[in-house]
Amino acid sequence: MRFTWLILLLCLCMSATCDARTIKWLTNDFAPYYIISGPNKSQGRDESIISLLEQQLSHITFERVIIPSGKVIQELANQQSNACALSLYKNKYREERVYFTHQSSTAGLSPSIAMHTKLSSALEIEDAKPVSLTNLLVNKKLTLGVSMNRSYGSEIDKIINTTPGINLVIRPTRDTLSTLTYMLNLKRIDILLGYPSEHYYLAKTMGFTDNLTQRMLTEAPEISYGYIGCTKNEQGAEDIATLNQQLKLIKQTEDYKQVLTRWLPSHLKPKLEAHLQY
């Protein structure tokens, strides 16, 4: 009888081990999405969304791995290494290699440019009106700073990749955007492409708030949506289905809305909140 119970116990343990499920999240040291250190540690937007999902999926182990942001798609496309990542743009190239959720995981104000306040005044660019990136690059001949291997949406990507003769400064370093922000403050580049929350967070933490300003772009939609992407294999399909369902639930909570607006300046929060009435 004792032997029988031991066999049953062993079988149950083996079953539990086989049923154990882990989702590996690819994260990176990129504030304000992932804040690895300092007074705002663990208060990044994307890492907070992952934590909300983790609370809903307590039966699944969440493993977090930090990798360079430029290698996320490459790692997801490796079918021998199961992983997921938050807040990704969909495009044809990526959808051929990665599974994506139907539900968006994040929503944010679309790509904007940061520029020095003196340049903005010289070009007589009004605060409230969006500007044309094409006009600034082609007609004004401004130098644009961008991060390597990063998508800004189909229209902006097309301008960057297909417009001949434009002046680009591309930085592949780990702290790409902070490096470019530093260059912008020193006027080594004219404009910097990013997102309002990124520009606000970096200008604030680097002490450049009075020197730098932002402008929305006419070529970008008002709101940008990011999606969860997972490895395109059997486990990835299962993970995507599970995460898609949970996104529907957390997007109806006040916690979700607070996370998305956490790193926006107060005057821009209403612009995003108007699109978060799920």
Side-chain angles (χ1 to χ4, degrees):
M1 181 65 71
R2 181 180 298 176
F3 181 74
T4 301
W5 278 108
L6 286 173
I7 294 297
L8 288 172
L9 182 61
L10 179 60
C11 288
L12 287 172
C13 290
M14 291 178 65
S15 177
T17 301
C18 291
D19 290 341
R21 184 173 164 197
T22 297
I23 296 179
K24 181 173 74 173
W25 290 95
L26 303 180
T27 69
N28 48 79
D29 187 359
F30 190 2
Y33 307 116
Y34 300 93
I35 304 177
I36 307 302
S37 60
N40 299 310
K41 182 180 178 180
S42 302
Q43 294 299 307
R45 186 196 69 177
D46 289 8
E47 62 187 327
S48 296
I49 297 296
I50 293 174
S51 294
L52 291 177
L53 289 168
E54 187 173 27
Q55 293 171 21
Q56 295 287 106
L57 298 168
S58 57
H59 61 290
I60 299 177
T61 299
F62 276 29
E63 177 188 354
R64 295 161 174 83
V65 178
I66 299 175
I67 70 170
S69 58
K71 294 186 177 181
V72 169
I73 296 300
Q74 177 183 340
E75 183 66 17
L76 290 178
N78 178 9
Q79 296 190 9
Q80 306 305 315
S81 177
N82 294 300
C84 296
L86 198 84
S87 196
L88 299 175
Y89 271 128
K90 293 182 184 180
N91 58 36
K92 183 178 179 181
Y93 174 86
R94 292 180 174 186
E95 288 186 283
E96 289 173 351
R97 293 160 175 79
V98 177
Y99 284 135
F100 285 93
T101 54
H102 296 296
Q103 290 284 325
S104 60
S105 60
T106 51
L109 298 178
S110 285
S112 64
I113 56 165
M115 60 170 51
H116 207 283
T117 52
K118 291 183 178 179
L119 178 60
S120 176
S121 297
L123 295 176
E124 298 182 344
I125 299 176
E126 297 181 34
D127 290 351
K129 291 186 177 181
V131 296
S132 167
L133 180 62
T134 302
N135 178 57
L136 294 177
L137 295 177
V138 176
N139 298 324
K140 303 298 184 183
K141 303 296 183 183
L142 300 186
T143 299
L144 172 67
V146 295
S147 302
M148 180 176 285
N149 296 328
R150 192 177 186 195
S151 175
Y152 299 93
S154 58
E155 185 64 25
I156 301 299
D157 289 349
K158 182 179 179 181
I159 293 171
I160 295 171
N161 296 325
T162 65
T163 305
I166 60 176
N167 300 316
L168 286 178
V169 173
I170 303 173
R171 283 290 180 272
T173 59
R174 187 174 72 89
D175 297 319
T176 302
L177 204 58
S178 59
T179 300
L180 289 168
T181 301
Y182 185 75
M183 293 174 64
L184 181 66
N185 188 60
L186 292 178
K187 302 179 184 178
R188 292 177 181 171
I189 58 175
D190 299 315
I191 52 178
L192 172 59
L193 190 58
Y195 292 82
S197 57
E198 299 169 359
H199 294 315
Y200 172 74
Y201 181 87
L202 287 172
K204 183 178 180 180
T205 56
M206 299 175 75
F208 299 154
T209 306
D210 294 337
N211 296 343
L212 305 181
T213 185
Q214 296 182 48
R215 296 294 182 273
M216 304 306 291
L217 297 172
T218 58
E219 295 91 344
E222 187 174 0
I223 300 294
S224 295
Y225 294 97
Y227 300 82
I228 294 176
C230 295
T231 306
K232 206 166 193 177
N233 56 23
E234 185 176 349
Q235 180 176 329
E238 184 179 355
D239 291 342
I240 280 292
T242 298
L243 294 168
N244 195 67
Q245 181 61 35
Q246 294 305 316
L247 284 172
K248 292 181 183 179
L249 300 177
I250 69 167
K251 286 165 66 175
Q252 300 174 37
T253 67
E254 190 63 28
D255 286 343
Y256 177 80
K257 296 175 185 178
Q258 290 178 357
V259 165
L260 290 191
T261 58
R262 180 179 292 161
W263 295 112
L264 282 176
S266 58
H267 71 283
L268 288 181
K269 288 185 178 182
K271 290 182 177 293
L272 180 58
E273 289 171 342
H275 294 267
L276 300 180
Q277 307 301 319
Y278 297 103

